[in-house]
């Protein structure tokens, strides 16, 4: 079954089994997101892609498209809500963009630019989070993890491994590594694993690559995240 | 350790879905989950160790570090607070010589808070090694402390320390006349299963957990799914503070509940059912196992039930301290041996539930009612209650009233009548449906208990005029922040921000802008959270802000902006290091 959904007044076709975000991306409509990547089981946790479907809030990345849906993706109210959710992610961890080597290539930062986020708004948690620099080539900076679960899914679904997991409850959530010591160096991770390259923030980094492209010449320094995401995700979708 | 693990693994048939029960056994044997055990389990069950650690860290009753051999948890529900819980906890901490949240140096005892234990009608309550301690007072605490110092096994402690009463004060159409064992199944087969489902439909029965979905519709949707297996799950994870009706139903009417499950199994075509029992009700476990055993002996469970060609059995799974597991999809995840994180919907459990098979999940009271309806017919049930809320509702009433306990009323009953019956006077307000429900003020007592007006899963907490509304809201808001599963951003971060923002105001550091901010945060958490927990976590604040704006206003400073931290207090360490305490070493919070 195929049909049409209407996003912000624009009629968009969809195919059976597509979610709202998949139909939107294929039609060149950007819906902000962080925990979603084409080709991975939808997660629905970051809630940035929340859209109004027939008047109700739904995650566009998990909600199936159905004929005749009226979807609101862009409204002043939604932009504010998305900005607030992004600000929540910023105060929950410790994100110091100017000193982060992912700056300019970071999707969290790119989304914040997109949403015109100028401050953090909420009080910081100042969580004391540690780093795992044990691996010779790969680094985890827990300060920047937003629990999007992409590394967990990539390791399971693309790499056929189980390197990562998310443990803890509520605000005490944390990324954990599947090794007897809990350290990355004792896991079976490989620098070529998809899981290493998928992090939308600077939580998972490859060592000694940080400044090969100077700050100022990086992806989101020049391009809007909507443009980049639509181009890349449509390519991936055609794999 | 290897021998112990091999024996429990064999008992669990090496099934990864039994992970939670395996971990419970390891916790009670070693007072924690040792790293060595995690390695052995991961190998034996062929699951990543991250999944095991994820489960351990998710559930409040499981720990990676050793707890005391006597592990005491004190219930932090608002009703326990109203019964002097804070002072008793302090006293317990002093007599046992252990700080709250710590393990005593000799490893004998640990002490901490826990969310509501479901004993609000006989609090202050607690748990020792998982078993309930009720009606705590200083003499009892002295006695408990002495037993611990003498290292008496908990099984040898005097029974009255663990006594749990039913406290049924008013029985209605369900509690008055329990069914005879087997009669619901026989009636259903005599009438025919499709006709019985029609009777259920005619009865208008809606789920008693709170959401109120039509029961017959749920069963029909599930029955219509073609799949290899269908499952029936009884949700006995009532964790809403102030709710304890399922505890009483399982203690005194378990047969009828199991019969309701068997009925559902016959209708949807399930061979296997689960009773998901909250960890706090460990004391009911053996008793319920015995009821199941008796039903098997009576031919009411197992193969070819009552020679009607129905095969069905029920397994009991214990939770381990996580309120969120009362959410049906989180409960299913927990049954599968995973952290209780609510799933994305659609698909709904009726199409893809336990092990992705069609599954009916209903509340204890729903199954109890369904069994009776199978015998008496739909019209009988629909004859009680209101148009959209047929039948009766079993309430757990606690707080400021003479007779806390269980009351059953036809839907449509006024709040006024309930308050009169339970002996409540000088009432300030009532929390209906628990913290996730509505706080109503004493101007609203003409309102009705019904899906049309005030819906409830059963929790009814009475507050008299000596109570402080903001302290109540604070307790509830902290509860939600503690129990958020942390899956989605608005709830994970939002409930913690709500806690911070409310504390700022209640502690006297708020200004008018802070209330505006609090309200908009409430709306964001409510409208964007993934599941019911986040969607209702702001209700205590929103419903009281609406009714008592002046109470919030009274706490505010008159200035436009007030920082959330104590500037002068933050300089204390610097003053000590500099050996200074003169006027110049102090800063005022804001310029006057």
């Amino acid at each position: 079954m195929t049909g049409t959904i209407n996003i912000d007044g624009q009629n968009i076709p969809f195919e059976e089994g597509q979610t709202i975000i998949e139909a939107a991306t294929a039609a060149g409509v950007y819906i902000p997101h962080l925990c979603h990547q084409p080709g991975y089981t939808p997660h629905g946790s970051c809630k940035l892609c929340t859209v109004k479907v027939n008047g109700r809030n739904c995650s566009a990345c998990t909600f199936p498209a159905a004929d005749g849906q009226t979807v609101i993706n862009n409204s002043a109210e939604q932009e504010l809500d998305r900005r607030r959710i992004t600000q929540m992610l910023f105060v929950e961890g410790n994100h110091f963009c100017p000193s982060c080597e992912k700056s300019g290539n970071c999707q969290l930062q790119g989304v914040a630019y997109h949403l015109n986020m100028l401050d953090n708004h909420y009080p910081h948690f100042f969580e004391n989070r540690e780093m795992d620099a044990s691996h010779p080539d790969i680094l985890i900076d827990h300060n920047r993890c937003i629990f999007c679960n992409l590394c967990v899914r990539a390791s399971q679904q693309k790499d056929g491994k189980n390197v990562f997991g998310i443990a803890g409850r509520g605000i005490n959530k944390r990324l954990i590594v599947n090794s007897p010591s809990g350290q990355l160096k004792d896991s079976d991770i490989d620098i070529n694993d998809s899981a290493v390259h998928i992090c939308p923030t600077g939580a998972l980094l490859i060592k000694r690559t940080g400044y090969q492209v100077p700050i100022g010449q990086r992806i989101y320094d020049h391009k809007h995240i909507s443009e980049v995401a639509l181009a890349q995700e449509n390519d991936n979708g055609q794999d | 350790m290897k021998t112990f693990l091999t024996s429990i693994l064999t008992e669990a048939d090496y099934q990864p879905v039994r992970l939670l029960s395996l971990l419970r056994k390891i916790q009670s044997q070693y007072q924690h989950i040792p790293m060595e055990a995690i390695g052995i389990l991961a190998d034996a069950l062929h699951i990543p160790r991250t999944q095991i650690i994820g489960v351990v860290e998710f559930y409040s009753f499981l720990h990676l570090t050793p707890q005391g051999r006597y592990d005491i948890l004190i219930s932090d529900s608002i009703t326990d607070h109203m019964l002097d819980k804070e002072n008793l906890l302090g006293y317990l901490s002093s007599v046992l010589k252990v700080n709250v949240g710590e393990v005593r140096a000799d490893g004998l005892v640990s002490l901490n808070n826990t969310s509501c234990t479901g004993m609000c009608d006989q609090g202050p309550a607690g748990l020792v090694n998982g078993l309930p301690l009720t009606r705590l007072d200083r003499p009892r605490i002295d006695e408990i402390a002495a037993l611990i110092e003498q290292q008496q096994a908990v099984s040898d402690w005097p029974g009255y320390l663990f006594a749990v009463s039913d406290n049924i004060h008013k029985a209605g159409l369900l509690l008055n006349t329990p069914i005879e064992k087997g009669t619901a199944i026989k009636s259903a087969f005599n009438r025919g299963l499709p006709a019985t489902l029609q009777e259920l439909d005619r009865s208008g029965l809606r789920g008693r957990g709170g959401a109120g979905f039509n029961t017959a519709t749920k069963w029909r949707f599930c029955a219509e799914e073609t799949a290899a297996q269908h499952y029936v799950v009884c949700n006995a994870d009532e964790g809403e503070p102030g709710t304890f009706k399922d505890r009483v139903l399982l203690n005194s009417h378990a047969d009828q509940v199991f019969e309701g499950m068997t009925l559902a199994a016959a209708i949807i075509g399930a061979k296997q059912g689960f009773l998901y029992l909250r960890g706090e009700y460990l004391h009911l476990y053996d008793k319920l196992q015995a009821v199941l055993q008796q039903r098997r002996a009576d031919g009411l469970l197992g193969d070819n039930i009552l020679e009607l060609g129905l095969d069905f059995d029920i397994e009991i799974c214990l939770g381990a301290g996580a309120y969120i597991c009362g959410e049906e999809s989180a409960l299913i995840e927990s049954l599968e041996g995973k952290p209780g994180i609510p799933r994305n919907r659609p698909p709904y459990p009726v199409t893809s539930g336990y092990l992705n098979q069609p599954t009916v999940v209903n509340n204890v009271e729903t199954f109890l009612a369904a069994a009776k309806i199978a015998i008496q017919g739909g019209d009988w049930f629909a004859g009680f209650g209101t148009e959209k809320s047929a039948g009766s509702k079993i309430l757990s009433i606690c707080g400021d009233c003479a007779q806390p306990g269980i009351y059953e009323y036809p839907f449509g009953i006024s709040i006024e009548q309930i308050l009169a019956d339970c002996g409540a006077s000088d009432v300030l307000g009532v929390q209906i449906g628990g913290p996730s429900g509505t706080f109503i003020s004493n101007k609203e007592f003409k309102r009705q208990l019904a899906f049309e007006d005030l819906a409830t899963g059963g929790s009814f907490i009475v507050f008299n005029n000596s109570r402080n509304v903001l302290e109540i809201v604070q307790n509830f808001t902290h509860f939600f922040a503690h129990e958020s599963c942390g899956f989605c951003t608005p709830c994970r971060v939002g409930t913690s921000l709500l806690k911070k923002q409310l504390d700022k105001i209640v502690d006297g550091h708020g200004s008018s802008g802070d209330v505006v901010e609090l309200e908009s945060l409430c709306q964001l958490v409510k409208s964007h959270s993934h599941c019911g927990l986040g969607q209702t976590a702001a209700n205590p604040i929103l419903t009281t802000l609406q009714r008592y704006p002046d109470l919030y206003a009274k706490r505010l400073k008159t200035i436009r902006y007030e920082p959330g931290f104590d500037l002068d207090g933050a300089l204390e360490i610097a003053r000590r290091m500099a050996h200074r305490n003169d006027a110049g070493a102090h800063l005022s919070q804001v310029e006057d």
Side-chain angles (χ1 to χ4, degrees):
Chain A
M1 186 195 78
T2 58
T4 330
I5 59 174
N6 185 291
I7 303 186
D8 297 329
Q10 184 186 346
N11 284 327
I12 284 169
F14 72 90
E15 287 161 24
E16 172 74 21
Q18 271 188 327
T19 58
I20 290 176
I21 209 168
E22 283 167 344
T25 306
V29 172
Y30 174 67
I31 300 176
H33 56 273
L34 286 168
C35 72
H36 163 77
Q37 266 298 331
Y40 294 93
T41 311
H43 201 236
S45 63
C46 78
K47 298 296 169 197
L48 270 177
C49 72
T50 305
V51 290
K52 269 207 161 45
V53 181
N54 299 337
R56 282 184 52 199
N57 280 336
C58 300
S59 302
C61 71
T62 61
F63 207 76
D67 201 29
Q69 277 168 343
T70 303
V71 178
I72 299 173
N73 174 41
N74 276 318
S75 70
E77 183 194 342
Q78 265 162 324
E79 181 168 322
L80 176 63
D81 288 348
R82 285 173 181 160
R83 194 188 308 140
R84 289 283 182 259
I85 290 170
T86 311
Q87 285 164 325
M88 284 182 172
L89 290 171
F90 270 86
V91 299
E92 178 189 26
N94 300 304
H95 297 271
F96 305 111
C97 296
S99 65
C100 177
E101 65 178 74
K102 191 72 174 277
S103 189
N105 287 335
C106 169
Q107 290 177 33
L108 176 65
Q109 190 189 39
V111 160
Y113 289 154
H114 175 79
L115 297 167
N116 195 28
M117 183 185 127
L118 301 174
D119 67 357
N120 287 338
H121 188 76
Y122 295 116
H124 279 263
F125 285 79
F126 296 118
E127 267 302 302
N128 189 9
R129 298 195 193 166
E130 290 183 353
M131 244 189 219
D132 179 351
S134 62
H135 194 279
D137 299 317
I138 305 155
L139 173 84
I140 307 178
D141 187 344
H142 290 281
N143 288 298
R144 302 167 187 153
C145 179
I146 57 167
F147 315 108
C148 70
N149 224 50
L150 276 168
C151 59
V152 180
R153 282 176 279 165
S155 187
Q156 285 170 354
Q157 295 169 16
K158 295 277 146 119
D159 306 329
K161 301 179 182 178
N162 257 307
V163 177
F164 298 103
I166 307 271
R169 192 167 88 191
I171 200 72
N172 301 314
K173 275 216 140 37
R174 62 192 191 102
L175 180 68
I176 55 170
V177 172
N178 184 12
S179 70
S181 64
Q183 288 194 307
L184 202 55
K185 72 172 162 68
D186 299 319
S187 74
D188 57 353
I189 199 162
D190 183 89
I191 193 164
N192 297 313
D193 285 355
S194 304
V196 180
H197 301 268
I198 201 161
C199 183
T201 75
L204 261 172
L205 294 168
I206 297 166
K207 289 182 178 176
R208 296 175 295 280
T209 59
Y211 294 94
Q212 284 175 1
V213 179
I215 287 177
Q217 295 174 25
R218 297 183 179 179
I219 306 169
Y220 306 116
D221 293 337
H222 296 280
K223 285 186 178 163
H224 213 261
I225 193 167
S226 54
E227 196 186 335
V228 178
L230 286 173
Q232 286 178 354
E233 292 171 11
N234 267 324
D235 287 351
N236 287 345
Q238 283 156 15
D239 277 350
Chain B
M1 182 180 293
K2 189 97 195 177
T3 332
F4 174 73
L5 286 176
T6 308
S7 79
I8 59 170
L9 276 161
T10 311
E11 218 179 300
D13 207 14
Y14 287 81
Q15 294 292 313
V17 289
R18 302 220 162 90
L19 179 62
L20 193 56
S21 88
L22 287 166
L23 291 172
R24 285 192 62 102
K25 286 175 187 154
I26 297 169
Q27 173 78 38
S28 70
Q29 180 83 3
Y30 301 101
Q31 291 85 50
H32 73 303
I33 312 295
M35 274 298 156
E36 191 191 337
I38 292 175
I40 297 171
L41 284 181
D43 289 343
L45 300 173
H46 306 289
I47 53 174
R49 54 197 301 132
T50 43
Q51 185 186 332
I52 301 171
I53 296 170
V55 169
V56 176
E57 289 194 8
F58 192 86
Y59 296 92
S60 293
F61 297 165
L62 302 174
H63 304 271
L64 291 173
T65 53
Q67 303 301 295
R69 276 185 283 136
Y70 295 87
D71 185 26
I72 301 184
L73 296 168
I74 300 297
S75 176
D76 201 32
S77 172
I78 187 67
T79 52
D80 296 290
H81 278 263
M82 289 154 68
L83 295 164
D84 206 26
K85 172 251 162 181
E86 273 302 282
N87 282 325
L88 287 170
L89 178 64
Y91 183 67
L92 189 56
S93 165
S94 70
V95 293
L96 287 172
K97 299 181 189 66
V98 57
N99 290 329
V100 179
E102 290 180 9
V103 185
R104 204 165 81 178
D106 63 1
L108 188 66
V109 58
S110 50
L111 178 64
N112 212 340
N113 283 300
T114 187
S115 298
C116 184
T117 54
M119 300 288 162
C120 297
D121 56 336
Q122 43 207 304
L127 297 167
V128 58
N129 294 351
L131 296 173
L133 296 165
T134 51
R135 303 178 189 85
L136 287 170
D137 55 17
R138 288 195 173 218
R140 283 195 178 206
I141 284 175
D142 289 333
E143 192 176 353
I144 289 165
L147 288 163
I148 290 174
E149 297 301 349
Q150 292 156 18
Q151 308 204 16
Q152 285 263 7
V154 170
S155 53
D156 296 337
W157 290 16
Y160 60 83
L161 289 173
F162 304 106
V164 177
S165 319
D166 274 358
N167 291 331
I168 299 176
H169 297 303
K170 193 173 189 323
L173 67 157
L174 294 176
L175 295 176
N176 260 336
T177 45
I179 66 164
E180 292 277 321
K181 276 205 269 185
T183 48
I185 303 172
K186 283 180 204 152
S187 301
F189 275 88
N190 282 342
R191 189 189 288 115
L193 295 176
T196 301
L197 185 59
Q198 268 176 16
E199 285 300 316
L200 196 66
D201 206 0
R202 203 191 311 264
S203 78
L205 177 66
R206 297 168 64 164
R208 277 359 189 189
F213 192 79
N214 182 286
T215 305
T217 308
K218 185 185 271 188
W219 291 15
R220 183 172 292 120
F221 282 160
C222 190
E224 284 167 358
E225 288 289 323
T226 38
Q229 295 291 337
H230 289 67
Y231 294 96
V232 177
V233 177
C234 177
N235 181 346
D237 193 52
E238 58 174 354
E240 193 75 26
T243 320
F244 46 86
K245 66 173 178 72
D246 294 348
R247 182 197 85 209
V248 176
L249 296 180
L250 291 171
N251 188 47
S252 298
H253 300 280
D255 260 305
Q256 189 169 335
V257 175
F258 292 141
E259 189 129 339
M261 291 175 71
T262 312
L263 181 73
I267 288 173
I268 68 164
K271 291 192 164 31
Q272 176 68 50
F274 296 98
L275 174 74
Y276 187 90
L277 184 66
R278 65 187 304 225
E280 288 82 350
Y281 293 168
L282 176 66
H283 70 285
L284 290 172
Y285 184 79
D286 289 341
K287 186 172 182 177
L288 291 170
Q289 287 290 15
V291 174
L292 288 177
Q293 203 47 47
Q294 188 57 50
R295 287 184 76 81
R296 287 180 198 116
D298 295 344
L300 295 167
L301 278 179
D303 291 341
N304 198 13
I305 290 169
L306 294 174
E307 296 178 0
L308 294 163
L310 172 66
D311 301 340
F312 179 66
D313 211 328
I314 297 171
E315 186 179 325
I316 305 176
C317 295
L318 272 165
Y323 166 74
I324 187 60
C325 290
E327 197 278 346
E328 60 175 356
S329 67
L331 184 152
I332 290 168
E333 288 282 298
S334 185
L335 275 179
E336 292 179 0
K338 294 186 271 184
I341 295 171
R343 293 176 177 176
N344 285 299
R345 290 184 287 184
Y348 291 86
V350 284
T351 53
S352 179
Y354 181 68
L355 304 177
N356 299 322
Q357 302 296 309
T359 303
V360 153
V361 184
N362 274 127
N363 182 262
V364 175
E365 188 184 340
T366 316
F367 287 118
L368 182 94
K372 185 92 184 186
I373 292 165
I375 300 167
Q376 302 274 26
D379 290 336
W380 163 77
F381 193 76
F384 300 87
T386 67
E387 193 194 338
K388 287 181 184 160
S389 319
S392 68
K393 184 75 194 90
I394 300 173
L395 295 179
S396 10
I397 300 183
C398 58
D400 294 315
C401 61
Q403 287 183 302
I406 300 295
Y407 294 75
E408 184 185 9
Y409 290 103
F411 269 118
I413 183 89
S414 73
I415 305 305
E416 206 167 41
Q417 182 65 50
I418 300 171
L419 290 171
D421 290 350
C422 71
S425 56
D426 191 29
V427 181
L428 165 75
V430 184
Q431 184 75 37
I432 293 172
S436 70
T438 308
F439 190 102
I440 61 163
S441 82
N442 48 22
K443 296 186 187 74
E444 302 169 73
F445 292 165
K446 301 273 182 215
R447 293 181 68 178
Q448 289 186 337
L449 202 73
F451 289 104
E452 293 95 322
D453 185 7
L454 293 163
T456 174
S459 172
F460 194 99
I461 313 175
V462 185
F463 299 99
N464 69 25
N465 279 307
S466 74
R467 306 298 173 187
N468 180 334
V469 170
L470 292 182
E471 274 173 28
I472 297 166
V473 175
Q474 218 174 2
N475 175 273
F476 292 162
T477 305
H478 285 226
F479 166 77
F480 285 120
H482 182 260
E483 295 296 335
S484 165
C485 84
F487 171 76
C488 73
T489 318
C491 179
R492 183 181 67 242
V493 189
T495 53
S496 280
L497 286 173
L498 280 175
K499 175 175 149 179
K500 279 189 182 197
Q501 186 70 4
L502 182 71
D503 287 354
K504 183 183 177 188
I505 293 168
V506 176
D507 295 345
H509 295 297
S511 61
S512 57
D514 285 308
V515 177
V516 177
E517 182 55 42
L518 180 66
E519 200 164 2
S520 74
L521 185 59
C522 283
Q523 296 299 350
L524 186 70
V525 174
K526 193 180 175 76
S527 61
H528 283 73
S529 289
H530 178 68
C531 79
L533 189 153
Q535 288 158 13
T536 58
N539 282 356
I541 299 176
L542 286 169
T543 57
T544 54
L545 257 177
Q546 199 184 4
R547 289 168 176 81
Y548 308 98
D550 49 315
L551 288 182
Y552 285 84
K554 261 190 232 160
R555 296 279 179 132
L556 304 177
K557 301 224 166 174
T558 49
I559 50 167
R560 278 186 58 240
Y561 175 73
E562 168 78 11
F565 63 94
D566 177 1
L567 185 58
D568 191 56
L571 291 171
E572 182 54 33
I573 295 172
R575 276 194 296 270
R576 258 190 289 140
M577 289 172 73
H579 301 290
R580 277 182 64 177
N581 201 14
D582 54 290
H586 287 272
L587 280 178
S588 67
Q589 189 78 346
V590 282
E591 286 180 27
D592 296 322

